[in-house]
Amino acid sequence: MWWRGLLKGVAIFILLAGSIIVLWFGMVEMLFGKPWMRLGGLLMVVGGFRGVILTFDLMWGRPPAFSKRPWERDTRRPPGY
């Protein structure tokens, strides 16, 4: 169990650090890149942001936000609310 927690912590750290680096490079590409490179920078920013969201979902033990369709989510509210 101890190894599992350590592995999860290391994996989350690597995913978060990688996502932040991708966000940073994407912003640099969008600001200083050639016009065709700005599209790649935009995709990097979107991917880095989704990576940060995935990291926090995994850290808190929730299923990833984009793995389920919103209309199929299991809520505790009764129908009609």
Side-chain angles (χ1 to χ4, degrees):
M1 192 69 174
W2 185 82
W3 286 104
R4 183 178 176 193
L6 180 66
L7 182 64
K8 181 179 178 182
V10 169
I12 285 176
F13 173 75
I14 290 171
L15 183 59
L16 184 63
S19 297
I20 291 172
I21 290 169
V22 167
L23 269 169
W24 186 79
F25 275 113
M27 287 182 207
V28 169
E29 287 291 325
M30 283 178 28
L31 290 175
F32 302 114
K34 296 180 181 178
W36 61 272
M37 294 171 70
R38 290 184 182 177
L39 178 63
L42 178 65
L43 293 175
M44 289 170 71
V45 168
V46 170
F49 184 71
R50 294 304 296 173
V52 170
I53 292 172
L54 174 66
T55 302
F56 286 123
D57 282 344
L58 293 174
M59 184 185 332
W60 292 322
R62 298 185 308 173
F66 50 88
S67 67
K68 287 187 173 182
R69 294 177 220 157
W71 55 88
E72 290 181 358
R73 289 193 183 192
D74 183 27
T75 60
R76 297 177 189 258
R77 297 180 188 165
Y81 288 98

XYZ file of all heavy atoms in Angstrom:
660
model
N 0.825 -1.193 0.000
C 0.000 0.000 0.000
C 0.869 1.257 0.000
O 0.532 2.241 -0.611
C -0.911 -0.056 1.229
C -1.994 0.947 1.207
S -3.162 0.494 -0.088
C -4.402 1.678 0.206
N 1.991 1.209 0.706
C 2.871 2.363 0.769
C 3.447 2.669 -0.605
O 3.568 3.828 -0.995
C 3.984 2.068 1.774
C 4.892 3.206 2.015
C 4.669 4.248 2.844
C 6.166 3.415 1.404
N 5.739 5.089 2.789
C 6.678 4.612 1.916
C 6.911 2.705 0.484
C 7.900 5.112 1.540
C 8.132 3.206 0.102
C 8.613 4.401 0.634
N 3.828 1.611 -1.353
C 4.386 1.807 -2.687
C 3.350 2.378 -3.650
O 3.688 3.165 -4.527
C 4.922 0.485 -3.245
C 6.203 0.092 -2.586
C 6.362 -0.875 -1.644
C 7.486 0.666 -2.796
N 7.671 -0.933 -1.256
C 8.389 0.003 -1.948
C 7.967 1.681 -3.615
C 9.735 0.324 -1.905
C 9.313 1.988 -3.560
C 10.177 1.318 -2.717
N 2.108 1.970 -3.468
C 1.051 2.470 -4.343
C 0.865 3.981 -4.155
O 0.723 4.721 -5.124
C -0.244 1.731 -4.036
C -1.372 2.108 -4.924
C -2.597 1.296 -4.591
N -3.714 1.735 -5.401
C -4.952 1.401 -5.181
N -5.245 0.601 -4.172
N -5.907 1.835 -5.946
N 0.880 4.431 -2.904
C 0.754 5.864 -2.640
C 1.940 6.646 -3.158
O 1.793 7.745 -3.701
N 3.135 6.089 -2.997
C 4.335 6.749 -3.507
C 4.296 6.846 -5.026
O 4.608 7.894 -5.599
C 5.584 5.990 -3.051
C 6.916 6.565 -3.514
C 7.154 7.924 -2.873
C 8.033 5.603 -3.186
N 3.908 5.765 -5.681
C 3.820 5.765 -7.147
C 2.776 6.765 -7.634
O 3.008 7.490 -8.606
C 3.494 4.360 -7.654
C 3.426 4.200 -9.166
C 4.787 4.481 -9.782
C 2.978 2.803 -9.521
N 1.628 6.818 -6.954
C 0.594 7.773 -7.338
C 1.098 9.205 -7.156
O 0.871 10.064 -8.010
C -0.671 7.550 -6.508
C -1.792 8.482 -6.875
C -3.041 8.219 -6.046
C -4.136 9.205 -6.387
N -5.333 8.998 -5.580
N 1.784 9.471 -6.073
C 2.322 10.816 -5.840
C 3.331 11.224 -6.891
O 3.316 12.361 -7.385
N 4.224 10.318 -7.244
C 5.230 10.625 -8.270
C 4.563 10.830 -9.621
O 4.900 11.766 -10.363
C 6.297 9.504 -8.322
C 7.199 9.655 -9.530
C 7.114 9.494 -7.043
N 3.601 9.975 -9.957
C 2.908 10.101 -11.245
C 2.127 11.414 -11.323
O 2.145 12.086 -12.364
C 1.970 8.920 -11.455
N 1.484 11.801 -10.237
C 0.736 13.056 -10.230
C 1.683 14.248 -10.347
O 1.407 15.211 -11.057
C -0.155 13.139 -8.980
C -1.360 12.210 -9.180
C -0.599 14.550 -8.681
C -2.263 12.115 -7.991
N 2.832 14.179 -9.663
C 3.813 15.263 -9.769
C 4.318 15.398 -11.204
O 4.415 16.513 -11.732
C 4.986 15.006 -8.821
C 6.106 15.981 -9.002
C 5.990 17.276 -8.529
C 7.265 15.611 -9.664
C 7.013 18.193 -8.696
C 8.291 16.518 -9.841
C 8.164 17.806 -9.359
N 4.634 14.272 -11.850
C 5.132 14.317 -13.226
C 4.049 14.849 -14.170
O 4.338 15.675 -15.049
C 5.621 12.926 -13.664
C 6.895 12.569 -12.904
C 5.853 12.864 -15.167
C 7.351 11.141 -13.095
N 2.803 14.412 -13.981
C 1.707 14.877 -14.835
C 1.461 16.377 -14.641
O 1.283 17.110 -15.618
C 0.442 14.088 -14.545
C -0.788 14.384 -15.402
C -0.484 14.131 -16.868
C -1.950 13.529 -14.956
N 1.489 16.844 -13.402
C 1.263 18.267 -13.141
C 2.406 19.113 -13.684
O 2.179 20.137 -14.335
C 1.075 18.509 -11.650
C 0.730 19.933 -11.233
C -0.617 20.342 -11.836
C 0.689 20.054 -9.728
N 3.637 18.682 -13.435
C 4.794 19.439 -13.933
C 4.800 19.462 -15.461
O 5.046 20.512 -16.073
C 6.083 18.824 -13.400
N 4.509 18.336 -16.086
C 4.456 18.288 -17.550
C 3.357 19.160 -18.127
O 3.551 19.836 -19.138
N 2.219 19.180 -17.456
C 1.111 20.013 -17.934
C 1.452 21.493 -17.839
O 1.136 22.268 -18.741
C -0.147 19.722 -17.116
O -0.554 18.401 -17.293
N 2.101 21.879 -16.761
C 2.491 23.293 -16.605
C 3.538 23.676 -17.648
O 3.486 24.773 -18.228
C 2.980 23.548 -15.174
C 1.791 23.441 -14.214
C 3.661 24.899 -15.048
C 2.159 23.480 -12.750
N 4.472 22.791 -17.922
C 5.488 23.069 -18.951
C 4.836 23.189 -20.325
O 5.160 24.097 -21.102
C 6.575 21.977 -18.931
C 7.411 22.105 -17.663
C 7.456 22.051 -20.169
C 8.337 20.945 -17.401
N 3.895 22.302 -20.643
C 3.198 22.372 -21.936
C 2.393 23.664 -22.032
O 2.373 24.314 -23.087
C 2.303 21.132 -22.130
C 1.346 21.312 -23.293
C 3.157 19.895 -22.350
N 1.734 24.064 -20.942
C 1.006 25.342 -20.940
C 1.954 26.502 -21.234
O 1.639 27.389 -22.032
C 0.346 25.563 -19.573
C -1.061 25.058 -19.387
C -1.446 25.119 -17.918
C -2.026 25.861 -20.195
N 3.094 26.504 -20.591
C 4.048 27.598 -20.764
C 4.564 27.649 -22.201
O 4.589 28.720 -22.816
C 5.209 27.420 -19.782
C 6.157 28.562 -19.791
C 5.997 29.750 -19.188
C 7.405 28.612 -20.474
N 7.082 30.554 -19.438
C 7.959 29.872 -20.229
C 8.104 27.708 -21.271
C 9.191 30.250 -20.738
C 9.338 28.087 -21.782
C 9.857 29.346 -21.513
N 4.973 26.508 -22.748
C 5.457 26.497 -24.129
C 4.352 26.872 -25.108
O 4.600 27.532 -26.114
C 6.029 25.121 -24.492
C 7.464 24.952 -24.098
C 7.821 24.051 -23.114
C 8.464 25.691 -24.706
C 9.137 23.891 -22.738
C 9.786 25.543 -24.342
C 10.125 24.630 -23.350
N 3.129 26.463 -24.839
C 2.022 26.835 -25.705
C 1.784 28.334 -25.715
O 1.523 28.928 -26.763
N 1.884 28.950 -24.538
C 1.707 30.405 -24.477
C 2.832 31.131 -25.208
O 2.594 32.133 -25.889
C 1.654 30.855 -23.023
C 0.380 30.490 -22.332
S 0.398 31.105 -20.645
C -0.689 29.935 -19.883
N 4.059 30.629 -25.076
C 5.182 31.240 -25.799
C 4.985 31.108 -27.302
O 5.213 32.063 -28.055
C 6.518 30.593 -25.346
C 7.660 31.004 -26.253
C 6.824 30.971 -23.907
N 4.536 29.942 -27.756
C 4.287 29.743 -29.188
C 3.176 30.663 -29.692
O 3.248 31.181 -30.796
C 3.910 28.290 -29.474
C 5.051 27.323 -29.378
C 6.050 27.508 -30.494
O 5.646 27.843 -31.614
O 7.246 27.319 -30.218
N 2.138 30.840 -28.878
C 1.039 31.706 -29.312
C 1.471 33.167 -29.390
O 0.996 33.918 -30.237
C -0.149 31.572 -28.353
C -0.929 30.303 -28.585
S -2.321 30.002 -27.496
C -2.906 31.548 -27.001
N 2.374 33.581 -28.517
C 2.805 34.979 -28.511
C 3.890 35.274 -29.536
O 3.870 36.315 -30.188
C 3.302 35.365 -27.117
C 2.231 35.462 -26.038
C 2.887 35.720 -24.683
C 1.251 36.565 -26.356
N 4.873 34.384 -29.671
C 6.048 34.691 -30.477
C 6.215 33.809 -31.706
O 7.172 33.987 -32.459
C 7.310 34.574 -29.611
C 7.286 35.472 -28.414
C 7.236 34.937 -27.140
C 7.282 36.845 -28.553
C 7.213 35.756 -26.029
C 7.251 37.678 -27.448
C 7.214 37.128 -26.176
N 5.326 32.846 -31.924
C 5.477 31.926 -33.040
C 4.979 32.502 -34.352
O 4.304 33.531 -34.403
N 5.328 31.818 -35.413
C 4.818 32.179 -36.732
C 3.332 31.838 -36.779
O 2.827 31.082 -35.948
C 5.583 31.406 -37.797
C 7.045 31.785 -37.837
C 7.779 31.003 -38.885
C 9.254 31.408 -38.870
N 10.046 30.669 -39.820
N 2.613 32.380 -37.739
C 1.160 32.153 -37.764
C 0.746 30.685 -37.756
O -0.196 30.314 -37.074
C 0.723 32.842 -39.055
C 1.727 33.915 -39.271
C 3.021 33.354 -38.754
N 1.452 29.823 -38.456
C 1.068 28.414 -38.473
C 1.442 27.726 -37.165
O 0.875 26.706 -36.806
C 1.688 27.694 -39.657
C 3.192 27.700 -39.665
C 3.990 28.649 -40.208
C 4.042 26.722 -39.105
N 5.301 28.342 -40.021
C 5.369 27.146 -39.334
C 3.840 25.534 -38.420
C 6.476 26.422 -38.913
C 4.939 24.818 -37.993
C 6.237 25.253 -38.244
N 2.423 28.284 -36.414
C 2.814 27.714 -35.133
C 1.865 28.130 -34.013
O 1.818 27.487 -32.970
C 4.241 28.127 -34.788
C 5.277 27.552 -35.737
S 6.921 28.234 -35.504
C 7.349 27.517 -33.948
N 1.107 29.184 -34.235
C 0.168 29.636 -33.206
C -0.958 28.639 -32.992
O -1.455 28.494 -31.893
C -0.393 30.997 -33.583
C 0.670 32.061 -33.478
C 0.159 33.426 -33.747
N 1.294 34.352 -33.654
C 1.218 35.617 -33.878
N 0.061 36.152 -34.232
N 2.268 36.377 -33.770
N -1.347 27.945 -34.057
C -2.353 26.898 -33.906
C -1.823 25.775 -33.013
O -2.525 25.280 -32.132
C -2.769 26.346 -35.270
C -3.789 25.211 -35.233
C -5.109 25.688 -34.635
C -3.992 24.663 -36.625
N -0.587 25.391 -33.224
C 0.042 24.389 -32.355
C 0.137 24.870 -30.919
O -0.069 24.096 -29.980
N 0.440 26.149 -30.738
C 0.486 26.713 -29.391
C -0.867 26.690 -28.716
O -0.978 26.391 -27.525
N -1.910 26.973 -29.487
C -3.264 26.924 -28.934
C -3.626 25.504 -28.515
O -4.197 25.292 -27.439
C -4.268 27.452 -29.957
C -5.741 27.429 -29.537
C -5.958 28.373 -28.362
C -6.620 27.794 -30.702
N -3.271 24.529 -29.343
C -3.532 23.130 -28.998
C -2.735 22.713 -27.762
O -3.222 21.941 -26.928
C -3.211 22.224 -30.178
C -4.109 22.381 -31.400
C -3.598 21.520 -32.549
C -5.538 22.041 -31.055
N -1.514 23.223 -27.623
C -0.713 22.921 -26.443
C -1.333 23.517 -25.189
O -1.343 22.875 -24.130
C 0.716 23.434 -26.629
C 1.515 22.648 -27.641
S 3.081 23.414 -28.055
C 3.990 23.161 -26.551
N -1.854 24.728 -25.283
C -2.491 25.353 -24.123
C -3.730 24.566 -23.711
O -3.948 24.293 -22.526
C -2.836 26.838 -24.417
C -3.752 27.412 -23.363
C -1.563 27.657 -24.508
N -4.536 24.187 -24.687
C -5.750 23.406 -24.383
C -5.367 22.058 -23.771
O -5.941 21.634 -22.759
C -6.608 23.225 -25.651
C -7.713 22.228 -25.424
C -7.178 24.558 -26.100
N -4.383 21.389 -24.343
C -3.943 20.097 -23.811
C -3.330 20.217 -22.423
O -3.570 19.373 -21.555
N -2.553 21.257 -22.195
C -1.971 21.466 -20.871
C -3.027 21.755 -19.827
O -2.951 21.269 -18.695
N -4.032 22.538 -20.192
C -5.114 22.836 -19.258
C -5.897 21.573 -18.923
O -6.231 21.328 -17.762
C -6.029 23.901 -19.859
C -7.111 24.353 -18.935
C -6.814 25.129 -17.827
C -8.423 23.997 -19.165
C -7.817 25.543 -16.958
C -9.427 24.398 -18.310
C -9.118 25.178 -17.202
N -6.176 20.743 -19.941
C -6.872 19.481 -19.683
C -6.012 18.552 -18.829
O -6.526 17.789 -18.014
C -7.248 18.793 -20.995
C -8.272 19.525 -21.821
C -9.541 19.793 -21.077
N -10.214 18.560 -20.725
C -11.287 18.477 -19.950
N -11.794 19.557 -19.444
N -11.829 17.332 -19.666
N -4.698 18.607 -19.004
C -3.797 17.813 -18.176
C -3.839 18.226 -16.722
O -3.802 17.386 -15.818
N -3.924 19.532 -16.461
C -4.031 20.016 -15.080
C -5.351 19.549 -14.468
O -5.387 19.097 -13.316
C -3.906 21.557 -15.031
C -4.259 22.099 -13.660
C -2.506 21.986 -15.423
N -6.426 19.624 -15.224
C -7.727 19.164 -14.720
C -7.677 17.661 -14.434
O -8.155 17.206 -13.387
C -8.843 19.500 -15.725
C -9.055 21.006 -15.795
C -10.142 18.789 -15.356
C -9.998 21.455 -16.880
N -7.083 16.882 -15.327
C -6.946 15.441 -15.114
C -6.112 15.159 -13.866
O -6.446 14.270 -13.075
C -6.305 14.788 -16.331
C -5.968 13.305 -16.205
C -7.243 12.482 -16.077
C -5.145 12.848 -17.375
N -5.045 15.924 -13.664
C -4.200 15.731 -12.493
C -4.980 15.922 -11.209
O -4.905 15.095 -10.289
C -3.015 16.708 -12.526
O -2.273 16.498 -13.727
C -2.106 16.509 -11.334
N -5.736 16.999 -11.111
C -6.484 17.243 -9.883
C -7.622 16.238 -9.710
O -7.928 15.854 -8.585
C -7.007 18.672 -9.846
C -5.914 19.672 -9.574
C -5.678 20.706 -10.455
C -5.124 19.562 -8.456
C -4.677 21.627 -10.214
C -4.114 20.467 -8.201
C -3.886 21.505 -9.085
N -8.233 15.786 -10.796
C -9.248 14.744 -10.681
C -8.649 13.458 -10.133
O -9.226 12.803 -9.264
C -9.912 14.473 -12.026
C -10.939 15.519 -12.405
O -11.354 16.277 -11.505
O -11.321 15.570 -13.581
N -7.472 13.079 -10.622
C -6.824 11.873 -10.133
C -6.332 12.039 -8.697
O -6.387 11.100 -7.901
C -5.650 11.502 -11.049
C -6.015 11.062 -12.453
C -4.754 10.865 -13.275
C -6.838 9.797 -12.425
N -5.868 13.239 -8.366
C -5.371 13.486 -7.013
C -6.488 13.351 -5.988
O -6.282 12.800 -4.907
C -4.760 14.888 -6.937
C -4.122 15.199 -5.606
S -3.508 16.890 -5.418
C -3.092 17.424 -7.026
N -7.662 13.826 -6.311
C -8.774 13.802 -5.364
C -9.597 12.522 -5.469
O -10.601 12.373 -4.788
C -9.663 15.018 -5.566
C -8.973 16.282 -5.173
C -8.141 16.449 -4.121
C -9.041 17.537 -5.834
N -7.681 17.740 -4.088
C -8.217 18.434 -5.121
C -9.714 17.991 -6.949
C -8.061 19.748 -5.487
C -9.563 19.313 -7.318
C -8.745 20.171 -6.592
N -9.207 11.596 -6.336
C -9.866 10.308 -6.428
C -11.182 10.319 -7.169
O -11.979 9.404 -7.029
N -11.431 11.342 -7.954
C -12.655 11.392 -8.746
C -12.377 10.852 -10.133
O -11.248 10.904 -10.600
C -13.147 12.841 -8.872
C -13.497 13.457 -7.551
C -14.082 14.814 -7.737
N -13.222 15.647 -8.575
C -13.561 16.838 -9.014
N -14.734 17.336 -8.730
N -12.745 17.546 -9.750
N -13.410 10.368 -10.806
C -13.183 9.993 -12.203
C -12.918 11.259 -13.019
O -13.424 12.331 -12.675
C -14.498 9.335 -12.625
C -15.504 9.803 -11.649
C -14.764 10.099 -10.375
N -12.111 11.167 -14.057
C -11.820 12.354 -14.859
C -13.095 13.009 -15.381
O -14.062 12.342 -15.724
C -10.970 11.814 -15.995
C -10.363 10.575 -15.451
C -11.377 10.002 -14.509
N -13.094 14.335 -15.448
C -14.282 15.100 -15.812
C -14.737 14.811 -17.236
O -15.914 14.921 -17.531
C -14.013 16.588 -15.649
N -13.824 14.429 -18.106
C -14.215 14.207 -19.486
C -14.439 12.731 -19.792
O -14.566 12.354 -20.940
C -13.175 14.786 -20.444
C -11.771 14.383 -20.151
C -11.246 13.235 -20.689
C -10.987 15.169 -19.339
C -9.951 12.866 -20.421
C -9.688 14.803 -19.074
C -9.170 13.660 -19.613
N -14.496 11.871 -18.758
C -14.692 10.455 -19.030
C -16.170 10.076 -19.114
O -16.513 9.078 -19.701
C -14.026 9.611 -17.953
O -14.680 9.791 -16.725
N -17.047 10.863 -18.492
C -18.473 10.570 -18.532
C -19.197 11.693 -19.264
O -18.747 12.832 -19.279
C -19.043 10.475 -17.123
C -18.648 9.248 -16.381
C -19.407 9.198 -15.075
C -19.163 7.898 -14.371
N -19.910 7.799 -13.132
N -20.325 11.360 -19.814
C -21.159 12.389 -20.415
C -21.948 13.071 -19.302
O -22.432 12.401 -18.395
C -22.093 11.763 -21.439
C -21.330 11.203 -22.614
C -22.251 10.540 -23.578
N -21.558 9.341 -24.019
C -22.116 8.286 -24.514
N -23.414 8.228 -24.618
N -21.418 7.255 -24.894
N -22.096 14.385 -19.347
C -22.752 15.090 -18.243
C -24.169 14.616 -17.977
O -24.617 14.613 -16.836
C -22.752 16.551 -18.684
C -21.796 16.642 -19.796
C -21.633 15.275 -20.373
N -24.885 14.179 -19.009
C -26.272 13.773 -18.803
C -26.361 12.367 -18.217
O -27.431 11.934 -17.842
C -27.058 13.856 -20.098
C -26.455 13.077 -21.218
C -26.685 11.771 -21.504
C -25.537 13.536 -22.182
N -25.947 11.383 -22.593
C -25.238 12.461 -23.037
C -24.924 14.771 -22.423
C -24.355 12.579 -24.097
C -24.058 14.868 -23.483
C -23.785 13.790 -24.301
N -25.240 11.646 -18.113
C -25.255 10.310 -17.525
C -24.664 10.284 -16.125
O -24.475 9.222 -15.555
C -24.479 9.343 -18.414
C -25.167 9.049 -19.715
C -24.376 8.072 -20.558
O -23.275 7.664 -20.130
O -24.845 7.720 -21.637
N -24.356 11.419 -15.556
C -23.743 11.450 -14.229
C -24.729 11.008 -13.169
O -25.916 11.313 -13.204
C -23.247 12.849 -13.906
C -22.050 13.186 -14.748
C -21.374 14.379 -14.245
N -20.273 14.669 -15.157
C -19.335 15.500 -14.909
N -19.349 16.166 -13.805
N -18.389 15.697 -15.770
N -24.203 10.296 -12.214
C -25.021 9.807 -11.113
C -25.066 10.881 -10.032
O -24.073 11.149 -9.366
C -24.429 8.515 -10.564
C -25.284 7.923 -9.469
O -26.500 8.174 -9.478
O -24.726 7.216 -8.616
N -26.196 11.511 -9.875
C -26.339 12.540 -8.851
C -27.212 12.011 -7.731
O -27.985 11.078 -7.895
C -26.963 13.819 -9.426
O -28.251 13.496 -9.935
C -26.105 14.381 -10.557
N -27.125 12.627 -6.580
C -27.897 12.204 -5.422
C -29.238 12.924 -5.337
O -30.012 12.694 -4.430
C -27.108 12.450 -4.155
C -25.828 11.632 -4.116
C -25.024 11.939 -2.889
N -23.729 11.324 -2.974
C -23.393 10.210 -2.337
N -24.253 9.585 -1.594
N -22.187 9.720 -2.465
N -29.509 13.778 -6.275
C -30.776 14.506 -6.266
C -31.886 13.638 -6.832
O -31.649 12.836 -7.746
C -30.677 15.769 -7.111
C -29.676 16.753 -6.588
C -29.656 17.956 -7.493
N -28.567 18.842 -7.105
C -28.126 19.807 -7.854
N -28.629 20.011 -9.031
N -27.159 20.569 -7.429
N -33.096 13.782 -6.342
C -34.200 13.042 -6.940
C -34.517 13.567 -8.335
O -34.150 14.679 -8.683
C -35.363 13.307 -5.974
C -34.963 14.479 -5.180
C -33.470 14.560 -5.186
N -35.159 12.771 -9.163
C -35.463 13.216 -10.529
C -36.337 14.483 -10.528
O -37.201 14.651 -9.693
C -36.242 12.049 -11.130
C -35.991 10.896 -10.234
C -35.604 11.420 -8.896
N -36.042 15.355 -11.450
C -36.817 16.579 -11.577
C -36.186 17.786 -10.899
O -36.676 18.898 -11.040
N -35.093 17.599 -10.182
C -34.440 18.728 -9.517
C -33.131 19.058 -10.156
O -32.450 18.278 -10.662
C -34.222 18.425 -8.034
C -35.491 18.455 -7.251
C -36.155 17.279 -6.954
C -36.012 19.648 -6.800
C -37.324 17.296 -6.224
C -37.167 19.675 -6.060
C -37.823 18.504 -5.772
O -38.961 18.533 -5.057
